[in-house]
Every structure is written in C-alpha cells, then in structure tokens.
Amino acid sequence: MAETTKKGKSLTSVLIEDGYVTREQMVEALQRKKEEGDSLARTLVGMGVITEIKLTEVLAKHLGLDFVNLAEYRVDMTAVALLDEKIASRHLAIPLGFDTNNSLLVAMADPTNIFALDDVKMYTGYQVKPVVATKKDIEDAIGSYYREAPEEGIDIEDIGTEMADDELADVIGVAVDDAPIVRFVNFIINEGVTGGASDIHFDPQEKEIIIRYRVDGVLHDVKSLPRKALAAVTSRVKIMSDLNIAEKRIPQDGHYAKLVKGNPVDFRVAILPTVFGEKMVLRVLDKSSIMLRLSDLGYDGETLERYEGAFTRPNGAILVTGPTGSGKSTTLYATLNVLNDESKNITTVEDPVEYRLAGINQIQINSKAGLTFSSALRSILRTSPDIIMVGEIRDLETAQIAVESALTGHLVFSTLHTNDAPGAITRLTEMGIEPFLTASGVVCVLAQRLARRLCDCKIPYEPSRELLDRLGFPPEAGDSPVLYKPNTESGCSRCGGTGYKGRKALVEIMLMSSEIERLTIEGASTADLKKVAVSEGMQPMRTDGWRKVIEGETSIEEVLRVVV
C-alpha cells in the first residue's frame, strides 16, 4: 500500500490531520515499523488503531480514486477472463468490468504501482482505470473468481450437444471437476451469490434458456443459453442436489451446500416440469441473515417497543403475516436469537428447516412419514417447551393446537398468509378457530413487506404537494420535503446501476387490546378491526413506508410497489 498520496502528503500526515490516528499512536507505529520491517499500513492495522477497510478508503480518497467493497460488487466475469491469474496474484489486481469509455476497471491494493498498471494494460490490451480495494478482498476475489470462472475453450454453444441425453447424464455423473458443464454451473452459482441473489432461476423457453437472478426481491435477466444446453445443465444441478436425473415428468425438491468465496452457502433446489423442459430454481440460504438484529430489519422506535412488549411475555401467540418472500422467517429467526438462552427450551417445526440455530431444537416436516405440523406440535407439547415456532399455519388442526398452546402457558410464534395484520384474525376464523380462542390466545400480529433500500448514489428531489396529498403522505413531512429517488441513469458500482442496495421491512403491528378482543368475538370485519387498531396506535404499513421515504431509506415508487 502506497504511503504517499497524489496530493504530496504522506499517509502519516493524512491520517493524523483527518483524525483517524493520534500523534502518539503514529509515533508508536513508526517505531514498530522500524523494528519489524513491515509497512506502516500493516503496522497500524496490526495495532488495531484503524481497520484495513477504513485505511484503504482514506488512501483512495486522497489519491482521488474510487474505493470498492468487493464483497458487495457485481464483477463482470468477462473482464476477469482478460487477465491471467498469475499476473493478478503477482500485482494483487483483479479486473471488475468496463466503464463508459470502455476502459478496464481494475481493483488494486496499490494503485500507485506503475509497473503493475503497465503489466495489466499490456496483457489485456485495454486502457486501465484503477480503483482501490483492500488486500484481503482482492486475495479472496482472485481465489474465488479464477477458481470458478469458465476457462478458455468453453463454448456455451457446445454445452450438451456432443451426446444424447442419457449418455450425457451418465458422463456427468462421473465427470471430473474440470468438465465444461461443471465449471459453467459453478460460475453461474458463484456469480449469483456474489451479486447478492436470493434465487437463481433457469427458465427454459422455446428457443433458449433464460438465467435470472432475484436481487433485493426483483428478478433480472443475466444470461441466456441455447435450448440444446438444457439437458446438460439440468443433469448437473440434479447430480449436485442428489436428485433423480432420469425423472423428468414430476417436480423434485433437493438441497445441497457449496463453498462460495470460502464461505459455506446452502441451496434449496426446486425442479418443475414445464412445456419447454424442466425449470430450476436455486434458493440461496444466506446464513448471515439469521444473525441480524431486529433493528437491522426495519424494526425501530415505537414499532420495536410494541413488538418487544409482545415477545417478552411468558405466553401467547405471535403471528407474522405477509406473502412469500416478505421476510417472515427472517423476522422470526431474529426474534428467536433475542430469546435464545440456556434457561429456555425452544423448539421449532418447519418445512423446510432453512437455517440451523445453535441451542434450538428444530424439526423437519416429513409428510410421507406422517410427520406433519399438527402431529409434530402434539409431540412437542409433551417435551415441556417454553417457546414454540411453527413455520406456517396451514390448516385448522395446526391452528387449533397453536392457539391452545398459547393459552396453556407457551409462547408460540407462527406465520400466516394475509395482506395485513387485522386480516390474520379474520383468517383464523375462516379456518374454523373459535373467535373466543383467537381473542384469548393471540397477543400480537405483525404484517410486513420488504422494500428495497436506496443506494448511497440516490438523487434528491422535491415532489409536488399535490402528489403527496394524493398518496396520503403524512402532513408532518411539510409542504416541500426533500425526498430521494434511485439513480437509475448512472448508478454506482455498489448497486450495479439499479439505484437500490439491500432491503428493509415495512411493518405494521396490531396488539390485542380489550376492544379488539371484543370485536373478534363479535366477528367484526377486517376493516372494523383495522380502524380500531389504528386508533389505538397501530401504524399502517404504508405509513411506515412513508416514514422511511422521508428518512431517505427508500423511494415512493418502492413503497407503492410492495404495499397494497
């Protein structure tokens, strides 16, 4: 890492002037540097005075270059393939993509290394535009991308064309790891996980296979393959997931684990026969999401206080509602992480068990063997549980056992598919639960959606008051509030030009009060329940969305997209 910036100031002066390091710490670091013979940068990081990421950001800023967090950057594998792995390792440099002038963007640990820049330029034949990344990120990226990237000689047009389907399946089953189809599938999966995809779709069409990634809840087309490659790709995914490669007429579900950038990642695989062949969806199970705090998910302020007041009770049923993909399971896992300690017996029954939680008893549903939600719940109650989580209430029997468990001293968490929080009460009644049981057993209902967060490259603007009034914006926002919208024209490297990066929950929480209990027993409509809940302090989901728009976390368009 360079120790002198383009502005002529030494790294020492920059760090002291910007307040990252005190003079005393710098004196000690310089002394250690002299004794140990290491660079000043590594000495400072080793002392714990400053992190490598912050140090690299400071260097980039004073060199007038962009800093890139490679863990969040979507790398163009076409660019990676331009540079030999040995040269990338020698100079700690990795191509990331191309800018608007068709220059090659190259992440470097030391962008002042003229020899490295010339080497990359000569080898690739492109003008080089350096950006700065940490040494560790570059080493990890080199180890990952060059290991997974398709090598020279792989022609996508030729995948799956050399042999008949049955012969191909036999060969793939025993193929060595460097077979073209193996490298290609690994590349697709690695690129998707690195780009933050929650799902990877292989959609067969009449003449091609469309490969799509779902990033932050939105699907994006990323590649296409010729239709003739379907048999090879499908067979490879089935082999990885321990599925029947000969069966093509019925749906199949599987599971497998893979190391991506040195981190273990689990995948749920669903295969569905369509008129054009077998569609495959690989759901990426990011284990880091279960360690999130509720505040990271979008629960804050009064919303968090109301929810904490409910789940810290010794008994009662707490329901989380929303459509598939709205983050219900993540919210429940984050809640269990808060409650999990050695004094509690916590048991979950799920279909499937997506994440393994230390210290918690997790049961996988197996309908073929007779292990259903209801039968598992009956068995759980005989093991003296303190807290029970039911993955989903799907039928009357499961709902009845869950509600009755809440009435007999257990804290029960579960999910339902409804549009809003008050709708959960009506849904339970429709399923056949006696209203007086619902009124007594349920203590709290949450409804949530996931809205995309605006990236740091967001653009400020002032919407008209007429538009805000039409949308029902809260009057406390003022007559001409400064809001933000996604930068879809130029974007930035962090969001890949989409204008959004990450997601946050939009939430409404309805607590069961005496008035809502009375309306429940009387069989009141969802509209009547919602009216009373709002008067008692429930903030509707869209209102929570408008609050996050005012705070600059998401956009008006995104709230309208996810909230009915």
Side-chain angles (χ1 to χ4, degrees):
M1 185 176 292
E3 296 183 17
T4 303
T5 69
K6 284 183 178 179
K7 296 181 179 180
K9 291 183 178 180
S10 66
L11 183 61
T12 304
S13 301
V14 169
L15 291 171
I16 293 174
E17 288 177 11
D18 288 359
Y20 295 108
V21 180
T22 65
R23 292 188 180 276
E24 292 75 15
Q25 289 171 329
M26 186 61 73
V27 170
E28 182 183 351
L30 290 170
Q31 182 62 34
R32 286 196 189 185
K33 171 181 180 295
K34 184 177 180 181
E35 294 172 355
E36 299 172 5
D38 211 343
S39 68
L40 176 60
R42 290 188 183 181
T43 302
L44 288 167
V45 172
M47 290 170 57
V49 172
I50 190 171
T51 64
E52 184 181 3
I53 291 178
K54 179 56 67 177
L55 188 60
T56 309
E57 286 179 351
V58 172
L59 176 66
K61 176 182 176 182
H62 286 271
L63 286 173
L65 300 175
D66 290 333
F67 170 77
V68 171
N69 184 347
L70 292 185
E72 300 175 344
Y73 193 94
R74 188 168 180 178
V75 176
D76 185 341
M77 297 304 295
T78 306
V80 173
L82 292 172
L83 189 64
D84 184 77
E85 181 180 1
K86 292 181 180 178
I87 297 177
S89 299
R90 183 190 311 148
H91 297 307
L92 284 178
I94 184 167
L96 304 179
F98 304 89
D99 69 1
T100 53
N101 297 320
N102 206 32
S103 294
L104 186 65
L105 290 173
V106 179
M108 304 180 70
D110 182 4
T112 63
N113 188 335
I114 303 300
F115 298 106
L117 289 168
D118 288 343
D119 228 3
V120 174
K121 178 181 177 181
M122 186 178 300
Y123 189 90
T124 62
Y126 281 84
Q127 291 295 323
V128 174
K129 181 179 179 180
V131 294
V132 187
T134 66
K135 178 176 179 289
K136 183 180 184 304
D137 276 0
I138 292 176
E139 288 174 341
D140 289 346
I142 290 172
S144 174
Y145 291 122
Y146 283 101
R147 181 173 62 249
E148 303 287 1
E151 299 173 15
E152 288 185 35
I154 298 180
D155 187 348
I156 289 176
E157 290 289 334
D158 291 337
I159 291 178
T161 62
E162 289 117 358
M163 57 192 75
D165 288 0
D166 294 339
E167 295 173 316
L168 178 65
D170 290 339
V171 171
I172 290 177
V174 296
V176 293
D177 284 345
D178 61 351
I181 185 61
V182 174
R183 296 203 307 275
F184 177 77
V185 172
N186 282 345
F187 157 64
I188 292 296
I189 293 172
N190 184 74
E191 189 181 47
V193 174
T194 304
S198 59
D199 303 286
I200 301 172
H201 292 241
F202 294 83
D203 292 339
Q205 304 297 315
E206 185 175 5
K207 297 181 180 179
E208 61 182 350
I209 308 165
I210 304 296
I211 299 174
R212 302 193 289 173
Y213 296 152
R214 186 183 296 279
V215 180
D216 293 336
V218 179
L219 279 170
H220 303 277
D221 291 358
V222 291
K223 285 180 176 58
S224 64
L225 288 174
R227 175 78 169 70
K228 56 191 176 185
L230 181 62
V233 174
T234 305
S235 296
R236 175 56 190 164
V237 172
K238 286 182 177 180
I239 291 292
M240 296 164 66
S241 311
D242 197 25
L243 298 176
N244 185 352
I245 60 176
E247 181 57 73
K248 301 179 181 179
R249 299 165 298 173
I250 61 174
Q252 295 189 66
D253 294 309
H255 176 275
Y256 78 98
K258 182 181 187 295
L259 284 176
V260 178
K261 296 188 72 175
N263 298 317
V265 178
D266 288 342
F267 298 87
R268 262 174 51 196
V269 180
I271 297 181
L272 185 69
T274 71
V275 292
F276 294 121
E278 292 179 290
K279 170 186 172 69
M280 297 183 293
V281 178
L282 282 66
R283 184 173 183 188
V284 183
L285 303 179
D286 180 9
K287 294 183 179 180
S288 64
S289 67
I290 65 171
M291 300 310 294
L292 290 174
R293 296 168 299 178
L294 288 165
S295 57
D296 296 327
L297 301 176
Y299 288 78
D300 52 24
E302 185 179 350
T303 300
L304 182 57
E305 288 180 12
R306 288 166 68 88
Y307 184 38
E308 285 180 337
F311 72 68
T312 51
R313 291 171 52 120
N315 63 284
I318 295 176
L319 305 177
V320 183
T321 76
T324 301
S326 60
K328 299 186 298 296
S329 296
T330 302
T331 294
L332 290 181
Y333 280 131
T335 307
L336 290 181
N337 280 327
V338 175
L339 296 172
N340 188 15
D341 63 50
E342 59 186 16
S343 68
K344 296 184 179 71
N345 177 15
I346 303 177
T347 305
T348 75
V349 51
E350 307 169 60
D351 184 23
V353 175
E354 296 185 356
Y355 304 103
R356 276 62 172 176
L357 300 173
I360 292 179
N361 310 294
Q362 295 177 271
I363 300 173
Q364 168 68 56
I365 290 301
N366 187 344
S367 299
K368 291 181 180 178
L371 183 60
T372 62
F373 278 112
S374 54
S375 64
L377 265 175
R378 281 194 295 268
S379 298
I380 289 171
L381 292 173
R382 292 193 287 268
T383 64
S384 185
D386 297 300
I387 299 172
I388 303 170
M389 187 189 94
V390 185
E392 183 182 346
I393 292 177
R394 298 178 179 174
D395 53 54
L396 172 59
E397 190 176 8
T398 304
Q400 195 151 5
I401 298 172
V403 173
E404 289 176 354
S405 300
L407 289 169
T408 54
H410 303 92
L411 185 60
V412 180
F413 294 92
S414 191
T415 68
L416 272 175
H417 289 274
T418 63
N419 287 329
D420 56 13
I425 305 300
T426 308
R427 175 75 178 125
L428 288 175
T429 302
E430 290 172 349
M431 291 176 75
I433 299 296
E434 292 291 343
F436 73 87
L437 289 177
T438 300
S440 303
V442 176
V443 298
C444 172
V445 183
L446 291 77
Q448 69 177 49
R449 302 288 189 277
L450 292 179
R452 290 181 292 174
R453 292 176 187 255
L454 285 167
C455 181
D456 292 338
C457 63
K458 60 191 175 185
I459 301 173
Y461 75 105
E462 291 186 14
S464 67
R465 186 66 244 181
E466 179 186 358
L467 172 65
L468 298 181
D469 290 340
R470 193 164 66 247
L471 294 173
F473 232 70
E476 57 265 26
D479 291 333
S480 55
V482 177
L483 304 182
Y484 293 87
K485 60 183 179 181
N487 184 355
T488 54
E489 295 183 3
S490 56
C492 70
S493 60
R494 188 169 180 269
C495 64
T498 64
Y500 295 98
K501 184 64 178 177
R503 289 188 289 176
K504 194 160 191 175
L506 309 184
V507 188
E508 67 181 26
I509 298 182
M510 183 182 76
L511 300 179
M512 291 294 284
S513 65
S514 56
E515 180 64 15
I516 292 178
E517 288 181 11
R518 182 183 65 80
L519 290 173
T520 300
I521 294 172
E522 293 175 356
S525 67
T526 298
D528 290 338
L529 289 168
K530 184 169 186 175
K531 184 177 180 180
V532 172
V534 171
S535 70
E536 293 180 346
M538 184 185 85
Q539 180 176 256
M541 210 182 314
R542 181 169 285 194
T543 303
D544 188 43
W546 294 150
R547 181 175 64 82
K548 290 180 169 73
V549 168
I550 294 170
E551 292 171 354
E553 296 191 57
T554 190
S555 65
I556 288 178
E557 295 77 13
E558 190 64 9
V559 172
L560 294 175
R561 183 182 72 86
V562 300
V563 180
V564 177

